[in-house]
Amino acid sequence: MSGSVYGGDEVGAVCFDFGSHSVRCGFAGEDSPKANVPTHMLTGDENTKFHVGTNAIMFPREKSEVVSPIKDGMIENWDQYETMMDHLYTRCLSVESKEHPVMMSEVAWNKMEKRHKTCEIMFEKYKVPAFYLCKNAVLVAFASGRSTALVLDSGAAQTTAVPVHDGYVIQHGVVRSPLAGNFLAAQVRDYLKDQKIDVVPTYKIASKDPVKEGQTPIWTARKNIPNVSNTWHDYQVDQVIEDLIHHVLQVHDKPATEEELSMIPGSGFEFPNGYSHLFGAERFKIPEPLFDPLGTNLRILGGDMLAAQHVLSSSISMCDIDVRPGLW
């Protein structure tokens, strides 16, 4: 829609994609989003209700709690949602909401009352000239040039398989599993705890000295740190865990034995306090439960503990038999 004619004028549509971990926004027709903002935000005071954005949430504030407007992929807190939209329009896009039509993605299981509330806010508060709410699985299928597809989406909170037929989601074929990014982070925490590796977040560190791999870190604690909340401290630890996952963990091409994994060179990672650790076979073992959860100490409650391939096969088997050939 970028550069298309709307109401006699040439305008670009604005796209919003809300997720449990981050929010993407940008202009339709462009190759990448204009901004990728954390979904989480900090509670404020009577002057500033919420602090939104990457820089704002990383700054330590007295007893500010980390909150999120998204729960189970759906908008749960509408005040936080409006604060996020204000930030996206003013700080990220720098456009007037009334001048651009909007397309927003939603999860396949979004409730009707939440869809109505979203439309109400966009039309009444932001005065958008046009608004389209579309299932994210349908958008993925269309972006791949297909109107019929089986879309596997593994995000922060859950892994889902959504069958799309002729541009419409087959609701009774949607399958969800909690084995996703948050589960992976929990597995990393358990491993670090077993190895007695203390994860010190960046905000606590004033300086550090270089040490050899495996040696006790030498660092100086930062002084005059505000009395931060537990949720904010945990969020900062999660940032270190997330960085470790991105740089170290890897999925092997095929099932491998302990001996085969031990022959693969390890990958080192330096923690914020200067401690350096070499990850060997465990960097392949930690993400393996995403595909083979049996025998693993699963710590996530709720939902079926289905591996990624079982999520796909279960979704296909729940669809009508005449639709299945187009999903394989």
Side-chain angles (χ1 to χ4, degrees):
M1 291 180 65
S2 180
S4 61
V5 175
Y6 178 84
D9 297 320
E10 188 174 336
V11 296
V14 174
C15 301
F16 297 100
D17 181 24
F18 276 78
S20 299
H21 179 269
S22 61
V23 183
R24 280 75 57 190
C25 66
F27 295 97
E30 296 187 350
D31 294 334
S32 59
K34 283 291 186 185
N36 192 328
V37 181
T39 306
H40 294 84
M41 58 186 71
L42 280 178
T43 56
D45 49 27
E46 61 275 3
N47 297 322
T48 305
K49 200 170 184 180
F50 299 105
H51 300 280
V52 186
T54 304
N55 294 333
I57 199 172
M58 299 300 290
F59 186 79
R61 290 181 171 85
E62 188 84 13
K63 296 181 180 180
S64 289
E65 300 288 343
V66 177
V67 295
S68 173
I70 304 295
K71 183 179 180 181
D72 194 27
M74 299 177 289
I75 301 172
E76 188 72 17
N77 189 300
W78 296 101
D79 287 340
Q80 296 169 14
Y81 165 76
E82 291 183 21
T83 303
M84 177 64 72
M85 291 299 297
D86 291 342
H87 176 82
L88 296 177
Y89 269 123
T90 57
R91 297 292 184 88
C92 300
L93 298 175
S94 300
V95 297
E96 291 288 339
S97 59
K98 61 184 179 181
E99 295 179 355
H100 296 266
V102 171
M103 184 183 72
M104 184 177 293
S105 68
E106 61 171 348
V107 292
W109 54 91
N110 197 16
K111 297 178 180 178
M112 185 61 68
E113 57 269 22
K114 293 184 182 293
R115 304 187 81 210
H116 290 167
K117 181 68 174 179
T118 305
C119 293
E120 177 184 326
I121 291 175
M122 296 307 296
F123 281 120
E124 295 188 3
K125 177 177 180 178
Y126 295 102
K127 310 294 183 183
V128 295
F131 181 66
Y132 184 58
L133 197 58
C134 185
K135 308 294 185 186
N136 48 20
V138 175
L139 296 174
V140 171
F142 285 169
S144 303
R146 298 174 62 91
S147 60
T148 298
L150 180 62
V151 179
L152 180 69
D153 181 7
S154 186
Q158 54 197 335
T159 297
T160 61
V162 181
V164 179
H165 181 67
D166 287 341
Y168 292 92
V169 170
I170 304 175
Q171 292 289 347
H172 61 267
V174 177
V175 177
R176 296 188 279 169
S177 172
L179 301 183
N182 292 343
F183 165 76
L184 204 58
Q187 293 292 102
V188 173
R189 287 191 206 95
D190 289 343
Y191 171 79
L192 296 177
K193 184 177 180 181
D194 293 340
Q195 297 295 314
K196 295 181 172 55
I197 298 176
D198 186 24
V199 180
V200 182
T202 307
Y203 79 93
K204 284 189 172 184
I205 301 169
S207 63
K208 61 182 178 181
D209 296 332
V211 296
K212 293 184 179 181
E213 183 181 298
Q215 289 186 345
T216 303
I218 303 174
W219 59 283
T220 304
R222 181 172 294 172
K223 299 179 181 179
N224 303 321
I225 299 176
N227 184 21
V228 299
S229 64
N230 291 332
T231 57
W232 189 81
H233 171 79
D234 293 342
Y235 181 84
Q236 297 302 311
V237 173
D238 288 343
Q239 298 306 298
V240 180
I241 300 295
E242 185 178 321
D243 191 36
L244 189 154
I245 291 174
H246 289 164
H247 286 84
V248 174
L249 297 193
Q250 188 174 342
V251 177
H252 204 273
D253 296 337
K254 58 182 179 179
T257 63
E258 182 80 28
E259 183 180 354
E260 291 174 332
L261 294 178
S262 62
M263 297 177 65
I264 302 175
S267 178
F269 182 80
E270 182 177 326
F271 290 85
N273 62 350
Y275 177 74
S276 182
H277 183 78
L278 182 66
F279 291 83
E282 58 272 9
R283 68 191 183 102
F284 296 96
K285 293 180 180 179
I286 291 175
E288 188 60 27
L290 295 176
F291 306 95
D292 184 17
L294 295 179
T296 305
N297 185 18
L298 299 176
R299 297 178 181 273
I300 294 183
L301 301 177
D304 297 325
M305 301 298 178
L306 295 177
Q309 65 271 23
H310 296 142
V311 171
L312 289 170
S313 58
S314 299
S315 177
I316 293 176
S317 64
M318 294 170 66
C319 297
D320 296 338
I321 194 168
D322 56 337
V323 174
R324 295 177 190 175
L327 302 178
W328 285 104

